[in-house]
Amino acid sequence: MNCIESLKQKAKANKKRIVLPESMDRRTFEAAAVALKEDFADIVIIGTDADIKKYGEGLDFSKAEIIDPATSKDTERYIDLLVELRKSKGMTPEEARKLIMEDYMFYACLMVKDGAADGVVSGACHSTANTLRPALQIIKTKPGTKLVSSYILLEVPDCEFGDNGIFMFSDCGLVQNPTSEELSEIAASTAASFQHLMGSEAKVAMLSHSTMGSAKHADVTKVAEAVKLAKENHPEYLIDGELQLDAAIVPSVADMKAPGSRVAGQANVLVFPDLDAGNIGYKLVQRLAKAEAFGPVLQGIASPINDLSRGCSSADIVGVIAITVVQAQAE
């Protein structure tokens, strides 16, 4: 059983209500049809009758709840809720109504805030910023969270590295140029995500073009300092570095470059030094190794609100729905 199939089984054990606000994209309805047929999530789709008919034609999503903000009995209450949540920013009822009617991600997040849903999956036709902004304004961060970040869950076929070919790459979608402290928090958050989602121990490699001081540069120093902070602040996780990619995942290289490391040669969580490296890295693996890639999955939001690559397939959305259900089970 592959990774996502395993997560679907976990999701079935305690189904959650997941909102899909992108009714202007057929991939949403294709994914909803699969999730409902396989019965691992309850699905809510936000959209107008016209969009439902246009983009859902020929697909069976009859078990989904369809909500049109223009006619829903809850809309006025959600307008009031949004005004209350944003009153310090001067939000007016007119502005709140416009946001809810024109950007369904706001309506989806208000449903979660209200307890009417457990999570949201969006981003197939919106940027990460458009997905994250309503989440931060309405759902806000988990108590004690220092940084909201993201990871990509990758399953590489015929791969002996990582956790039988399963990896989390972070951060690939959100934090542009993290400081040492931010990198240490990304490492800890992703370790926690891996262990909850996969049920096995995270082994976190902090990546660099240097291994254990083999090169000298400010970029290397940043990662080395992040490793030090992560070990001090999060001793419950196995985190090591700085490590080059081959030293992180290939045992024979690790024996030469980082002997004695409990992570080198065994890493299943890869933390990249900046967003450029992370985003390029995961897309290289996805396209050249024909890996399945799911996310960006967000970490640090008070409820599960997850992003998608705009190049995603409907199968990718199905996978992120399953991840979101399993995340919601822990809330």
Side-chain angles (χ1 to χ4, degrees):
M1 184 182 295
N2 70 22
C3 171
I4 292 300
E5 291 304 317
S6 176
L7 290 173
K8 287 178 184 178
Q9 293 304 312
K10 289 182 181 180
K12 284 182 181 181
N14 183 11
K15 290 194 299 179
K16 300 295 181 182
R17 284 168 57 82
I18 306 302
V19 186
L20 306 180
E22 294 180 309
S23 56
M24 67 297 294
D25 193 302
R26 184 167 177 82
R27 292 170 294 177
T28 294
F29 296 93
E30 292 170 342
V34 172
L36 292 166
K37 181 179 179 180
E38 297 185 8
D39 196 30
F40 63 83
D42 295 323
I43 298 296
V44 178
I45 300 173
I46 301 177
T48 64
D49 286 344
D51 281 344
I52 302 299
K53 290 175 182 177
K54 179 178 179 180
Y55 295 104
E57 184 179 5
L59 297 169
D60 181 8
F61 50 91
S62 55
K63 293 182 181 179
E65 180 182 358
I66 307 298
I67 294 177
D68 183 348
T71 59
S72 172
K73 62 180 176 56
D74 295 316
T75 296
E76 292 303 318
R77 185 162 57 84
Y78 286 164
I79 289 171
D80 292 341
L81 177 57
L82 183 55
V83 170
E84 176 64 23
L85 290 169
R86 302 292 291 165
K87 63 183 179 182
S88 66
K89 301 297 182 181
M91 176 72 70
T92 67
E94 293 74 23
E95 291 169 337
R97 183 182 300 277
K98 180 177 172 62
L99 280 175
I100 286 174
M101 294 298 181
E102 294 182 359
D103 188 342
Y104 294 160
M105 186 62 187
F106 277 90
Y107 198 99
C109 288
L110 287 163
M111 288 187 68
V112 173
K113 185 72 173 180
D114 188 49
D118 301 297
V120 181
V121 175
S122 185
C125 46
H126 291 89
S127 69
T128 294
N130 290 129
T131 298
L132 187 61
R133 187 180 305 109
L136 289 176
Q137 291 181 359
I138 295 167
I139 308 296
K140 306 187 186 302
T141 59
K142 287 183 180 178
T145 295
K146 294 182 179 180
L147 182 73
V148 175
S149 60
S150 72
Y151 66 81
I152 297 287
L153 177 64
L154 282 143
E155 184 165 15
V156 185
D158 303 317
C159 178
E160 72 271 29
F161 305 128
D163 194 355
N164 295 314
I166 296 169
F167 294 89
M168 283 185 181
F169 285 19
S170 188
D171 186 339
C172 303
L174 198 56
V175 186
Q176 183 72 49
N177 190 17
T179 63
S180 295
E181 183 174 4
E182 288 171 336
L183 274 177
S184 71
E185 292 304 315
I186 290 168
S189 294
T190 314
S193 294
F194 187 93
Q195 292 184 181
H196 168 65
L197 211 63
M198 306 314 305
S200 55
E201 186 173 38
K203 297 177 181 179
V204 184
M206 308 286 276
L207 298 182
S208 173
H209 68 272
S210 167
T211 294
M212 303 300 188
S214 65
K216 304 298 180 184
H217 190 275
D219 290 345
V220 176
T221 302
K222 179 180 85 166
V223 177
E225 181 63 24
V227 174
K228 179 182 176 183
L229 290 169
K231 288 182 175 181
E232 290 174 354
N233 297 329
H234 303 283
E236 68 273 27
Y237 301 123
L238 281 179
I239 301 172
D240 208 358
E242 80 283 5
L243 293 167
Q244 291 166 292
L245 186 279
D246 55 356
I249 66 171
V250 181
S252 60
V253 178
D255 288 343
M256 289 188 298
K257 292 186 174 183
S261 171
R262 297 172 63 197
V263 169
Q266 307 173 64
N268 48 32
V269 174
L270 304 180
V271 176
F272 291 81
D274 58 43
L275 189 60
D276 286 338
N279 193 273
I280 292 166
Y282 103 75
K283 289 182 177 178
L284 276 171
V285 174
Q286 179 187 21
R287 300 302 179 181
L288 298 185
K290 296 180 170 56
E292 291 189 277
F294 303 95
V297 179
L298 301 181
Q299 312 178 114
I301 305 292
S303 297
I305 310 295
N306 286 323
D307 196 13
L308 298 160
S309 167
R310 279 173 285 177
C312 70
S313 66
S314 59
D316 296 335
I317 302 175
V318 170
V320 177
I321 293 172
I323 291 169
T324 308
V325 172
V326 176
Q327 284 182 309
Q329 290 172 349
E331 295 300 321

